Amino acid sequence: MDPDEAAEWCKAQGGQLELSVVMDIPVGTWAEEQIRLAVAALAPDQRGFLADIKVNPETSHTYVLFEWRKGVPVCFQDVSIQLTDDVEVRLIQPSKPRGDSANIPASSPLAMIGPEFIAAIGDLVVKCQRAHPSYISFGYRKLEKFSGNLPTPAGEETFEEWVEQAMQALDEWDVSEAQKKQRITESLKGPASEAVRNLKLSKRDCTALDYLNILQEVFGRTEKAAELMYQYEHTYQKRGEKMTEYMRRLDKILYQVLLKKGTDPTTVDQVRMRQILKGALPLDPVMLQLRTREGNKELNY
């Protein structure tokens, strides 16, 4: 994939070129969650989202379109990056549209239009696209089916697996609350669908997070928020465990804490980073990089 193809892909997903990067992963098929955790470990202070994935069956390469809300992190602006200890990926920066300013006469009004104006128009177009129903329903990552039946039917996920994906999706979906609720209900059936239906009958102004909360009460873990928070704060990286695997274990517990309202959703990133700095092995490569950036000082969050 070249920069022009990356740009076309980004546009098709409604993304912004200057905020996006395509990663060319040369080995095997990576799960979305595995990719998110690897990226989060490399740029823990910048939140991004996985816009789309393509797999080339002929070369076994996986192409990942990733977008950040506040700009591409510095470590992802090079030609390649070490995604994990044993996997280096090529980075493809989507090409920006090429203007042919040489053919515009100096007296033309177009020559007097500054880059700020053009950027503002571009932002306006993107906002209009995002507000259009065809954009809202196009290209989003759908949740797996969940019914709440036990044992878990073939083709479905357990509640812990499903709600983890749902929490991530709520953070990524840049749509209205009504659209978020619709997307969640699309993935539900059986007892799970009935639980949400009963909630809507008793609470007319419920949110998408309310849907997850009621499902947590019916199908989730029985521990109290304080018990889960204690478990979270005493979860440490195991010897030989990769940082991405450790972060995944932490997030599974953290999502349960959030659903039980054991922590403020606005402080999730701080809570996650604080526990990573506390619980990670001191000789883990990611921790060594963090300490190097901080001049080998003790890391506090």
Side-chain angles (χ1 to χ4, degrees):
M1 181 177 294
D2 59 34
D4 289 340
E5 291 174 320
E8 289 300 321
W9 185 17
C10 183
K11 291 177 184 177
Q13 295 299 317
Q16 299 184 53
L17 301 182
E18 66 276 10
L19 303 180
S20 304
V21 161
V22 172
M23 290 180 281
D24 178 2
I25 304 177
V27 290
T29 301
W30 279 47
E32 292 185 17
E33 178 63 16
Q34 188 179 8
I35 296 169
R36 286 193 191 89
L37 292 175
V39 172
L42 292 168
D45 56 340
Q46 288 184 256
R47 175 172 293 184
F49 63 93
L50 194 157
D52 198 12
I53 290 181
K54 291 182 179 180
V55 178
N56 188 331
E58 297 180 358
T59 63
S60 297
H61 281 221
T62 300
Y63 296 100
V64 179
L65 177 60
F66 216 90
E67 183 174 339
W68 289 265
R69 295 175 178 173
K70 296 183 179 180
V72 178
V74 175
C75 60
F76 281 88
Q77 295 179 15
D78 209 339
V79 295
S80 65
I81 191 171
Q82 200 74 27
L83 194 60
T84 63
D85 297 341
D86 51 358
V87 176
E88 182 177 3
V89 303
R90 184 169 67 99
L91 300 177
I92 306 169
Q93 313 292 337
S95 61
K96 297 180 180 179
R98 300 181 181 86
D100 192 7
S101 57
N103 295 328
I104 300 177
S107 59
S108 170
L110 293 176
M112 302 175 64
I113 298 177
E116 295 83 3
F117 178 79
I118 296 175
I121 292 296
D123 290 341
L124 180 61
V125 170
V126 169
K127 289 179 181 178
C128 292
Q129 287 177 333
R130 290 182 183 272
H132 195 277
S134 62
Y135 174 86
I136 292 174
S137 60
F138 174 77
Y140 70 91
R141 178 172 60 90
K142 293 186 177 181
L143 298 175
E144 297 292 334
K145 294 294 183 181
F146 175 70
S147 67
N149 290 322
L150 291 176
T152 303
E156 290 189 19
E157 294 183 328
T158 64
F159 177 72
E160 286 73 20
E161 294 170 334
W162 180 87
V163 78
E164 182 181 357
Q165 296 294 322
M167 291 289 287
Q168 292 174 348
L170 282 185
D171 187 49
E172 293 176 5
W173 289 337
D174 188 14
V175 295
S176 67
E177 188 66 28
Q179 284 286 329
K180 290 180 180 179
K181 292 192 291 184
Q182 178 182 341
R183 292 179 180 183
I184 289 177
T185 54
E186 285 174 352
S187 69
L188 302 177
K189 59 182 182 178
S193 179
E194 292 175 8
V196 169
R197 190 181 304 117
N198 292 335
L199 172 67
K200 290 191 288 185
L201 291 174
S202 61
K203 185 178 180 181
R204 299 182 62 86
D205 58 344
C206 52
T207 65
L209 188 57
D210 289 332
Y211 285 7
L212 300 188
N213 285 334
I214 193 64
L215 293 172
Q216 166 67 31
E217 292 180 13
V218 178
F219 305 104
R221 296 168 60 165
T222 58
E223 298 99 324
K224 296 180 180 179
E227 295 172 331
L228 287 169
M229 199 64 198
Y230 179 86
Q231 180 184 349
Y232 181 80
E233 292 174 345
H234 291 79
T235 298
Y236 298 93
Q237 185 179 12
K238 300 174 183 177
R239 193 173 299 277
E241 182 180 34
K242 292 184 178 180
M243 178 64 78
T244 53
E245 297 169 349
Y246 174 54
M247 291 177 63
R248 180 175 175 80
R249 285 201 297 125
L250 286 177
D251 278 351
K252 283 186 175 181
I253 305 173
L254 187 55
Y255 290 139
Q256 299 295 324
V257 173
L258 278 172
L259 289 174
K260 290 182 178 288
K261 301 180 180 179
T263 189
D264 186 346
T266 62
T267 65
V268 167
D269 289 339
Q270 293 94 321
V271 171
R272 180 187 291 112
M273 181 57 68
R274 184 165 57 244
Q275 184 57 33
I276 290 173
L277 296 177
K278 171 187 173 183
L281 294 171
L283 296 181
D284 182 273
V286 175
M287 289 299 294
L288 290 175
Q289 289 180 15
L290 288 173
R291 285 196 170 88
T292 300
R293 293 175 187 173
E294 295 295 321
N296 291 319
K297 296 183 295 184
E298 181 180 355
L299 291 172
N300 296 304
Y301 197 84

